[in-house]
Amino acid sequence: MGNDQVIPSFDLKEQGMTGLGTVYYNLLEPALIERALIRGEGKLGQGGTFLVSTGKYTGRSPKDKHVVKTATTADTIWWDNNAEMSPEGFAALHTDMLDYMQGRDLFVQDLYAGADPTLRLDVRIVTELAWHSLFCRHLLRRPEIAELAEFHPDFTIINCPGFKADPARHDCKSDTVIAMNFDEKLILIGGTEYAGENKKSVFTLLNYLLPDKGVMPMHCSANHAPGNPVDTAIFFGLSGTGKTTLSADPDRTLIGDDEHGWSDRGTFNFEGGCYAKTISLSPKAEPEIYATTQRFGTVIENMVYDPYTMDLDFEDDSLTPNMRCAYPLDYISNASDTALGGHPKNIIMLTCDAFGVLPPISRLTPAQAMYHFLSGFTSRMAGTERGVTEPSPVFSTCFGAPFMPRRPEVYGNLLREKIAKHGATCWLVNTGWTGGAFGTGSRMPIKATRALLTAALDGSLHEATFRKDPNFGFDVPVTVAGVDSGLLDPRSTWTDKKAYDAQAQKLVEMFAENFDQYLAYIDEDVKAAAIG
């Protein structure tokens, strides 16, 4: 025990967790790294980073995520997208996990989800691994020490990677399980060491709870102009589309890189840290993020390193292309102290188009914005989920379907209402391929993407001449200072123009086929946007 922890008055015994080994409450970073090293969970890297491999699972397991079906959730959950679990299966899972925990040492972090104190959720995370506790301290928001003594969790997460579920007994699909019981305010995770399951469980939880409070939960990064939170921009996008990289603009203040809420008060970060992909991370293009890979306490996940010098190899993806680093938000020099912003002035929807069809930037009407938000088109990038080895086209509604427990229209209507109430300009930005599809073309130059975003955010892009895209009907700038005008017309970048036309038609048909599922729930102007 000792003086290196803060034990709250409401401890694990009060939650029915008894017969445990040593329980470490709210250890700080040095103590967590010390315990993790003693337990052989990883290696100490340069600058005091912690290097770890997550073993079999190096990405999320979305097919193993379940929601318990009860009278409360039966009519509120989007069951086409969320696997159900019976209350009986969950009860057996909980009992068996508590049995597994008997005599084992555990690590507890009492943390906040949400920078807005009026809307935050108090979350207790109980982990089998010390480095998971370190990861959670980075990714959620840390209470003041004085606040911990009386901490009482709204929800509890128990994560035991060494526990294997029994599909027949626990009503799940494999020995890996992420089970969410909204009635019991309890989330159980077992069978995977991938730390991202912790943060995405909290995100899913907030995605369920906040709409009832009129708050739009968003899978997005956010920043604002220096000293001017009113000039806030949000960046929707799945992993690998550039949310973290593009929001970490040295000329703007970073609110957060992945998960936010939009309330009547403005924008607020759910998290207290960042979880950035490190494959091909460049000290020139992304200096701030790169620097975190040598700072004390940063968790380096699934990266190859030299066993003697501990130098990281940013190009070796033999463990996974989904190599990552997790660090507190204040490791970014221009990060907001409050993690709060105003109502978004610009909404950026990031897509990684492996077809090579979409322009690098397009301006959307509100109806088109809802159409593309509900469509959520991108390419699933290699490594983010198990079994994905190369980019593949995917429609992930709301740019985050795996984390959406409610039907997409709930989030789509919330977004549309807030755009109408507060006003915002919406842009679709393609960070994917140009000059051909994946395998033939090349990745969109990040320098061009940054220049286009700068023009959009400072308002100068509004002064450009726009053309109507013949495939999707949105407005595309013809010329932008500092950007090759040929890049703005994707068809011109293809050597074979007929091949582009065929590829574009294929993509349009894919959009239409995917959007059929929403036609019964949307207004006529959005239907018109779907037609183009």
Side-chain angles (χ1 to χ4, degrees):
M1 296 294 193
N3 297 322
D4 58 351
Q5 60 180 328
V6 180
I7 304 174
S9 57
F10 187 77
D11 62 14
L12 293 192
K13 292 179 182 178
E14 298 294 323
Q15 294 182 272
M17 295 179 235
T18 58
L20 308 174
T22 301
V23 179
Y24 298 91
Y25 288 90
N26 297 304
L27 296 186
L28 300 182
E29 290 80 358
L32 286 169
I33 292 175
E34 182 180 38
R35 297 311 307 174
L37 289 170
I38 291 171
R39 291 159 56 91
E41 294 178 4
K43 299 286 186 180
L44 193 66
Q46 292 186 4
T49 58
F50 190 73
L51 313 180
V52 65
S53 169
T54 61
K56 181 180 178 181
Y57 299 137
T58 58
R60 291 181 291 101
S61 300
K63 294 181 181 179
D64 293 312
K65 189 174 182 178
H66 298 72
V67 175
V68 179
K69 192 171 188 177
T70 65
T72 304
T73 60
D75 297 326
T76 57
I77 297 296
W78 180 24
W79 294 113
D80 290 343
N81 187 60
N82 294 269
E84 65 181 73
M85 175 181 281
S86 66
E88 295 76 17
F90 184 86
L93 177 66
H94 189 200
T95 297
D96 292 348
M97 191 170 282
L98 290 177
D99 288 344
Y100 172 85
M101 293 160 63
Q102 295 292 297
R104 297 180 185 273
D105 294 351
L106 294 168
F107 298 84
V108 178
Q109 288 291 327
D110 293 326
L111 300 163
Y112 297 144
D116 186 334
T118 68
L119 293 166
R120 77 185 182 205
L121 199 68
D122 296 356
V123 181
R124 169 166 288 174
I125 306 183
V126 183
T127 62
E128 182 180 7
L129 297 174
W131 80 264
H132 271 197
S133 198
L134 175 64
F135 174 93
C136 293
R137 272 194 65 78
H138 290 339
L139 267 297
L140 292 184
R141 303 191 64 80
R142 298 161 289 282
E144 298 294 332
I145 292 176
E147 296 175 299
L148 289 171
E150 300 303 321
F151 189 94
H152 195 290
D154 298 313
F155 272 79
T156 298
I157 298 173
I158 302 175
N159 189 334
C160 294
F163 175 84
K164 304 297 182 183
D166 179 346
R169 174 171 166 77
H170 301 139
D171 193 23
C172 55
K173 296 182 179 179
S174 75
D175 60 7
T176 297
V177 65
I178 303 98
M180 313 191 71
N181 192 320
F182 295 125
D183 285 14
E184 295 189 15
K185 301 184 176 181
L186 182 62
I187 299 171
L188 305 177
I189 304 173
T192 174
E193 291 187 31
Y194 182 64
E197 298 290 8
N198 295 293
K199 78 179 233 90
K200 289 308 183 187
S201 292
V202 175
F203 184 40
T204 303
L205 178 59
L206 292 170
N207 282 334
Y208 180 72
L209 297 174
L210 290 179
D212 282 344
K213 299 180 179 180
V215 178
M216 173 66 185
M218 304 176 293
H219 189 211
C220 72
S221 56
N223 62 28
H224 66 72
N228 185 15
V230 173
D231 186 2
T232 292
I234 58 175
F235 302 74
F236 285 106
L238 289 178
S239 175
T241 56
K243 289 197 317 302
T244 298
T245 299
L246 295 172
S247 59
D249 184 335
D251 295 325
R252 292 176 65 86
T253 298
L254 178 68
I255 301 171
D257 84 322
D258 196 38
E259 302 168 5
H260 294 79
W262 184 356
S263 73
D264 288 340
R265 291 155 54 95
T267 308
F268 64 100
N269 194 352
F270 289 164
E271 301 184 304
C274 302
Y275 190 34
K277 296 189 78 167
T278 56
I279 187 168
S280 299
L281 193 64
S282 165
K284 183 177 180 180
E286 299 144 318
E288 294 257 17
I289 300 173
Y290 187 90
T292 69
T293 63
Q294 293 189 16
R295 293 199 60 175
F296 179 79
T298 293
V299 175
I300 307 292
E301 193 177 71
N302 295 319
M303 287 193 71
V304 174
Y305 57 88
D306 185 296
Y308 180 68
T309 65
M310 310 306 284
D311 287 335
L312 300 171
D313 190 331
F314 291 86
E315 302 302 326
D316 189 338
D317 63 355
S318 57
L319 290 177
T320 176
N322 195 37
M323 53 177 113
R324 290 180 179 264
C325 62
Y327 50 89
L329 194 63
D330 61 16
Y331 277 14
I332 302 298
S333 63
N334 62 327
S336 166
D337 292 334
T338 64
L340 300 172
H343 298 292
K345 183 177 178 181
N346 287 281
I347 296 174
I348 314 296
M349 298 185 184
L350 299 168
T351 181
C352 176
D353 174 22
F355 280 74
V357 169
L358 294 175
I361 194 166
S362 311
R363 186 173 61 191
L364 308 178
T365 66
Q368 288 171 337
M370 185 171 181
Y371 173 70
H372 284 278
F373 181 71
L374 290 177
S375 296
F377 170 71
T378 189
S379 299
R380 184 176 285 115
M381 301 306 294
T384 304
E385 294 179 7
R386 289 192 283 130
V388 180
T389 58
E390 65 180 35
S392 58
V394 64
F395 290 90
S396 185
T397 188
C398 307
F399 294 98
F403 324 118
M404 302 298 166
R406 297 180 183 269
R407 278 203 57 86
E409 305 83 44
V410 173
Y411 308 105
N413 286 327
L414 264 173
L415 180 65
R416 188 174 185 183
E417 289 167 7
K418 291 189 177 298
I419 290 173
K421 182 176 181 180
H422 302 289
T425 303
C426 300
W427 307 89
L428 182 68
V429 172
N430 175 24
T431 62
W433 275 259
T434 184
F438 170 75
T440 301
S442 58
R443 196 73 189 261
M444 196 72 69
I446 190 170
K447 183 178 180 181
T449 301
R450 286 193 182 280
L452 291 167
L453 280 174
T454 297
L457 298 184
D458 68 17
S460 62
L461 191 53
H462 287 293
E463 306 305 316
T465 300
F466 287 81
R467 66 177 177 85
K468 191 74 67 176
D469 181 84
N471 299 304
F472 289 94
F474 40 52
D475 291 336
V476 180
V478 176
T479 58
V480 178
V483 179
D484 179 0
S485 59
L487 197 65
L488 297 171
D489 181 3
R491 189 175 188 271
S492 73
T493 66
W494 284 53
T495 302
D496 187 339
K497 303 299 190 285
K498 289 184 177 179
Y500 171 85
D501 293 338
Q503 191 83 310
Q505 183 58 34
K506 180 180 179 181
L507 185 58
V508 169
E509 290 171 357
M510 288 180 63
F511 264 87
E513 181 179 354
N514 170 74
F515 207 77
D516 281 347
Q517 62 185 303
Y518 306 121
L519 292 178
Y521 304 95
I522 60 172
D523 295 335
E524 291 302 318
D525 58 342
V526 182
K527 290 181 182 179
I531 296 171

